[in-house]
Amino acid sequence: MTRRLPSTTALVALEAAARHLSFARAAQELALSEGAISRQIAKLEAAVGVRLFNRIGNRVELSAAGAGYAAQMRTALADIERHTQQLIAQARGATTLEIGVIPTLAGRWLIPLLARFHERHPEIQVNLRERTQPFALEDSGLHAAINYEHPAWQSLRVQRLFEAQLVAVCHPRLADYPPASLPLLHKRESPHSWRRYAALTGLPLGAQVTGPTYDRYSLLIEAAKAGFGMALVPQRYIEEDLATGRLQAPWPAIPELRERYVLVTRPAEAVDPTLALFERWLLEEAGLE
């Protein structure tokens, strides 16, 4: 059956024009004439039967349908480019790994370590993909995930990396404030952490267990460093901030409050040799080998 696919030239023109909201700037980026961009967009609109841009004098703006389609095609083009680069790398004897990882964990733990992996295995390229929640690894196109321990991974191969103690931290100028007077900063996915902390420590947090909410630990940490209040975050993420005095941890640390991080891969028989090298290195860095 013949596929009804638009030309990649037209899709590239669409992506550039949508990003710039200008045919002229898209033409400049792609080293084409403005007329060529306009013709490609017109052909694409004729092929799909939908107006993608509204022309307003010398300006253009995306239609509602065009905005959604352009965003989808931007992702599709990025995937095509990534897969092509992977194939080229494989043809040259190099290999790639696609790893889904929690953004804060990547920035504050994994990325600083990757230089050592590249020194040991320069032929392997490690691509990191942001994943904040457990997901279906089998259908993701990823080789592995580094994430929280979670029942969603039960059918997969799960290897423990480390446990991270949660500590209460704040800007140094807030360290001597009474607990009940400090705003508490919350992680959206862990809305009850402060209530549990209050119950375990007996600190009189009272009504202060409600407060500003953030999606990621990285945002919580920056908010605490800015003096917005007290944050409950993994100590592994803020060791440098504690050492340099940018943050202080004046409240008790509770052993029961910790998070477990794991490496998730497909069943053992499906692990390829390149991933096995990465696994072995990662377990070494986590102190497990």
Side-chain angles (χ1 to χ4, degrees):
M1 184 174 67
T2 303
R3 293 180 180 270
R4 296 186 59 187
L5 297 176
S7 74
T8 54
T9 302
L11 293 178
V12 168
L14 166 69
E15 191 280 330
R19 183 160 30 86
H20 291 294
L21 287 179
S22 166
F23 287 2
R25 289 202 291 272
Q28 184 178 14
E29 177 183 311
L30 300 176
L32 297 171
S33 68
E34 185 174 350
I37 295 292
S38 182
R39 287 191 294 274
Q40 288 295 334
I41 298 299
K43 289 180 181 178
L44 184 57
E45 289 177 328
V48 299
V50 176
R51 182 174 291 279
L52 303 173
F53 287 90
N54 297 316
R55 282 74 167 174
I56 307 171
N58 293 326
R59 297 187 300 109
V60 295
E61 64 179 25
L62 285 161
S63 67
Y69 186 62
Q72 292 169 337
M73 292 304 100
R74 182 175 295 115
T75 300
L77 288 169
D79 286 342
I80 292 170
E81 182 177 22
R82 176 166 53 87
H83 292 313
T84 302
Q85 290 173 345
Q86 289 174 2
L87 181 60
I88 293 171
Q90 291 168 5
R92 293 174 178 170
T95 54
T96 62
L97 289 174
E98 302 286 334
I99 309 296
V101 63
I102 301 167
T104 308
L105 181 67
R108 292 178 177 260
W109 182 69
L110 181 58
I111 289 175
L113 300 177
L114 276 177
R116 293 205 284 265
F117 180 76
H118 290 308
E119 287 176 3
R120 187 183 300 184
H121 300 289
E123 77 285 1
I124 300 175
Q125 175 179 301
V126 179
N127 298 327
L128 300 183
R129 306 298 172 206
E130 181 177 304
R131 294 291 189 276
T132 58
Q133 299 284 343
F135 59 94
L137 180 64
E138 300 90 332
D139 303 323
S140 68
L142 303 178
H143 293 93
I146 303 173
N147 210 291
Y148 304 109
E149 187 177 58
H150 193 277
W153 308 120
Q154 280 184 344
S155 64
L156 299 169
R157 182 165 169 257
V158 178
Q159 300 177 83
R160 181 175 61 86
L161 293 176
F162 57 82
E163 293 187 350
Q165 170 79 58
L166 296 181
V167 294
V169 295
C170 63
H171 190 282
R173 72 170 179 267
L174 303 180
D176 295 328
Y177 278 53
S181 68
L182 275 181
L184 301 180
L185 311 177
H186 298 259
K187 188 168 183 283
R188 181 176 58 83
E189 296 168 4
S190 307
H192 305 299
S193 292
W194 277 119
R195 293 186 186 277
R196 188 174 180 218
Y197 181 87
L200 290 169
T201 61
L203 286 179
L205 302 182
Q208 295 298 318
V209 292
T210 60
T213 303
Y214 299 85
D215 277 350
R216 299 177 183 171
Y217 278 128
S218 58
L219 300 178
L220 274 173
I221 292 166
E222 293 306 313
K225 287 161 67 174
F228 292 169
M230 186 72 73
L232 197 59
V233 300
Q235 183 170 343
R236 188 175 287 254
Y237 290 169
I238 43 106
E239 288 175 343
E240 183 178 347
D241 292 313
L242 291 172
T244 58
R246 289 191 291 266
L247 287 172
Q248 288 189 15
W251 294 358
I254 304 300
E256 295 92 332
L257 286 177
R258 57 182 61 241
E259 292 181 337
R260 294 178 178 86
Y261 294 85
V262 296
L263 173 67
V264 183
T265 58
R266 293 172 177 80
E269 64 270 15
V271 175
D272 65 40
T274 301
L275 181 57
L277 291 173
F278 181 77
E279 286 183 19
R280 191 174 305 118
W281 168 81
L282 194 64
L283 293 174
E284 288 176 7
E285 292 292 347
L288 298 177
E289 283 199 359

